[in-house]
Amino acid sequence: MVPQIRWSHSHSGGYVFHNPGHYDVQPAYKSDGWNTDPWTLVEDAQGRLLGRGSTDDKAPVISWLFVIEAHQKLGLDFPVNLKMCFEGMEESGSEGLDDIIHQEAKAYFKDVDCVCISDNYWLGTNKPCLTYGLRGVSYFHLKVTGPGKDLHSGVFGGTVHEPMTDLIHLMGKLVTPDGKILVPGIMDDVAPVTEAENSLYQGLDFTLNDIYGATESKTTIFDTEREVLMARWRFPSLSLHGVEGAFYNPGDKTVIPAKVIGKFSIRSVPNQEPEKITQLVKDHINAEFAKLNSKNTIDIACSHGGKCWVADVNHWNFVAAANAVQRVFNAKPDYTREGGSIPVTLTFQDALQKNVLLLPMGRSDDGAHSTNEKIDKFNFIEGIKLLSTYLHEVSAQS
Amino acid sequence: MVPQIRWSHSHSGGYVFHNPGHYDVQPAYKSDGWNTDPWTLVEDAQGRLLGRGSTDDKAPVISWLFVIEAHQKLGLDFPVNLKMCFEGMEESGSEGLDDIIHQEAKAYFKDVDCVCISDNYWLGTNKPCLTYGLRGVSYFHLKVTGPGKDLHSGVFGGTVHEPMTDLIHLMGKLVTPDGKILVPGIMDDVAPVTEAENSLYQGLDFTLNDIYGATESKTTIFDTEREVLMARWRFPSLSLHGVEGAFYNPGDKTVIPAKVIGKFSIRSVPNQEPEKITQLVKDHINAEFAKLNSKNTIDIACSHGGKCWVADVNHWNFVAAANAVQRVFNAKPDYTREGGSIPVTLTFQDALQKNVLLLPMGRSDDGAHSTNEKIDKFNFIEGIKLLSTYLHEVSAQS
């Protein structure tokens, strides 16, 4: 499941465990719109290394090996004991990874003092960052069942409680057009923003033009960078993804669907817990459905509940990384979160109970999962220096 | 386009024009679940004639020819002049039919005094009916556009106005779970139910079990036969059919769709007009969208607007048919409407400005468009007698 390379060096400092990311990549076809063969690494005139997996996640993976090789060739003592875990199914659901992490927590991973994962990206294109938080995600399937089969709206329109009508009404009770979640109690567990946290939002490498560019529109709810980033990182959100079982093709079809399943998810933040989110959503949906006086039947289920994650940025693991950024880039790093989830982060946190750091190498515009994926040669080479310096700084902290 | 057989006989009475229906049929494969080869007519032990097109619409088509042949063989004077129009694209959108009907209104169809179409079904399984009304249908596409491309809910959830959220809120303002249409003014043009009309709902061959059976559920809004049938036939209804552009597959996908199109339609009744329905819907949607304060963009369009149709059941054409039912079945017919549309009915009405009668031959459980389509031999033979007697009664009326 998880091929492992173990390289350790006797040293007075602690172990650093890192999941150096994954050697598997997303599919790619030149016909998707690539300018070059996605499976041949090409350097262009701007010093960008183009190819599938260049930034996600081959550059970080191989960089850890370059760090080791550099110490070997230079005859330098390696600054810490290092344990590594390569994964080959990150793009396919990481089957089995959680199990083996928990299973090895008191064996292979026993003496680990901190964790470092390099599999995300800078906030922008100019400045390195340390990532200390991820939102969780709870995905829901809301099923409304009525007639035993699809009906013709000419024959039955007006005579039966239509599942689609009930579903639309229930989905309309979940979130407002300006993003306010309507599930009672859902905000109760959201940690208040502290002053210290607020200060992390100063001077970030992010402007409104970045989100306008990324969304190819000016349909943001908020008009300041801080509000946009807080909405993305540290407040929950609810998105309505679609409806299974209803008519979805172009054109007209006069169907009354017999069974429809609304799909929505809630991105969660500290201190929200998936179990409580599910209960609040179920209570709310059931209460709203009762108001509809419908003869249809509903079923609401959470298909996936992943916890959020936040790390202490004052931990020596983050201090070491910040020092390394200062030495390599001569700059203070941005402290960022991600709006999405990287489940393995939380698994390491839970299984090892140690500080986890996300230390990205590539830029926000690298195009992971997209066509013409690249990593800038600058990011690659400075990134190798960063990882190496980080290990020396960890040693200095311990 | 429209193959025509002309058979006329000099006679003192008027012409009867009828569209005897169509000789084309729905596709059918034995693997769809047929018990017998769909393309071989089979009579089973219960006296049912099984085969694709048996009831829709080959039996009625051929019956008109049998009526003519019977008069020839018996040496009887044909009671009326008769013009016929066979169609071969009824199951494929009747391309060109409307054009030729309007084009021939003052030529081939010039002296026609009334129209009779046999291409629908008895209300139940026990009693013949005369059908005097159809609902119209106006189909709408409500498009909400936001970002330039689909977004990841982890990265953008909470930061942008999501088109799906806006759409769900707008669709929730169209109809209540108990079928009440929320478009202001939409009911203003609905003709009040008259006492005479009310009396037509007495003693119909219809029970609640019929709709429970047809919908395979007990999710009807109303608990009396009259209310169910009035909701189907003579009041408008609004059905939400689905969403194009959103996630519709099984499983989970954390997408924020960039552009979603809600599909819904309104079944209309006298005296509602499609143009006014469209205007009311547009005004309502635009007003509701303004309340959302969203930065997204909407577009609401009517993709199809078909008028409703109702005929005068006291016209001599209906009286002739009722007399024929009495003579052949020794019973009064049910007077029925259909909830759906049969657009050619309205085309004849508009083009010829003559009374149109729908005189069905098969039963409600014949399974047109379905597997094991059948017509009962009883309905077929008595139906031939009915059509013949109807022509004689028309002659007697004129």
Side-chain angles (χ1 to χ4, degrees), chain A residues 90-103:
Chain A
E90 201 272 349
E91 304 293 5
S92 314
S94 299
E95 299 268 339
L97 182 61
D98 278 13
D99 289 346
I100 208 159
I101 291 169
H102 282 285
Q103 181 185 310

Side-chain angles (χ1 to χ4, degrees), chain A residues 135 139 141 146-149 151-162 164-166 168-169 171-172 175-178 211 214-223 228 231-232 237-244 246-257 263 265 267 292 295-296 303-304 339-340, chain B residues 135 139 141 146-149 151-162 164-166 168-169 171-172 175-178 211 214-223 228 231-232 237-244 246-257 263 265 267 292 295-296 303-304 339-340:
Chain A
R135 293 197 291 188
Y139 205 100
H141 292 205
K149 59 186 176 189
L151 302 176
H152 187 297
S153 70
V155 184
F156 295 101
T159 69
V160 294
H161 292 282
E162 301 188 12
M164 188 66 177
T165 303
D166 292 356
I168 294 292
H169 277 265
M171 290 176 82
V175 60
T176 65
D178 59 352
I211 191 165
T215 63
E216 297 178 9
S217 76
K218 292 190 174 181
T219 59
T220 47
I221 295 173
F222 304 103
D223 297 322
V228 169
R232 171 188 292 183
S237 64
L238 192 154
S239 294
L240 307 172
H241 305 297
V243 179
E244 178 185 339
F247 175 53
Y248 60 83
N249 279 320
D252 299 359
K253 186 178 180 185
T254 53
V255 65
I256 297 173
K263 310 285 180 79
S265 66
R267 298 282 165 176
L292 300 187
K295 292 179 187 164
N296 293 324
S303 57
H304 169 78
Chain B
R135 294 197 291 188
Y139 204 100
H141 292 206
K149 60 185 176 190
L151 302 177
H152 187 297
S153 70
V155 184
F156 296 100
T159 70
V160 296
H161 292 283
E162 300 188 12
M164 188 67 177
T165 302
D166 291 357
I168 294 294
H169 276 265
M171 291 176 83
V175 61
T176 65
D178 60 350
I211 190 164
T215 64
E216 298 178 8
S217 76
K218 292 191 173 182
T219 58
T220 47
I221 295 173
F222 303 103
D223 296 322
V228 169
R232 171 187 293 183
S237 63
L238 191 154
S239 295
L240 307 173
H241 305 298
V243 180
E244 179 185 339
F247 175 52
Y248 59 84
N249 279 320
D252 299 0
K253 186 180 179 185
T254 53
V255 66
I256 298 173
K263 310 286 181 75
S265 67
R267 298 282 165 177
L292 300 187
K295 293 179 186 163
N296 293 324
S303 57
H304 169 79

Side-chain angles (χ1 to χ4, degrees), chain A residues 231-306:
Chain A
R232 171 188 292 183
W233 292 348
R234 68 104 54 231
F235 289 116
S237 64
L238 192 154
S239 294
L240 307 172
H241 305 297
V243 179
E244 178 185 339
F247 175 53
Y248 60 83
N249 279 320
D252 299 359
K253 186 178 180 185
T254 53
V255 65
I256 297 173
K259 183 178 78 175
V260 285
I261 304 173
K263 310 285 180 79
F264 63 95
S265 66
I266 294 177
R267 298 282 165 176
S268 58
V269 299
N271 300 307
Q272 295 181 301
E273 292 288 339
E275 296 71 22
K276 184 164 175 196
I277 291 171
T278 299
Q279 195 56 53
L280 290 172
V281 167
K282 285 186 173 180
D283 290 349
H284 178 56
I285 289 290
N286 286 325
E288 290 297 329
F289 183 66
K291 294 180 192 170
L292 300 187
N293 284 315
S294 169
K295 292 179 187 164
N296 293 324
T297 309
I298 63 164
D299 179 67
I300 169 84
C302 177
S303 57
H304 169 78

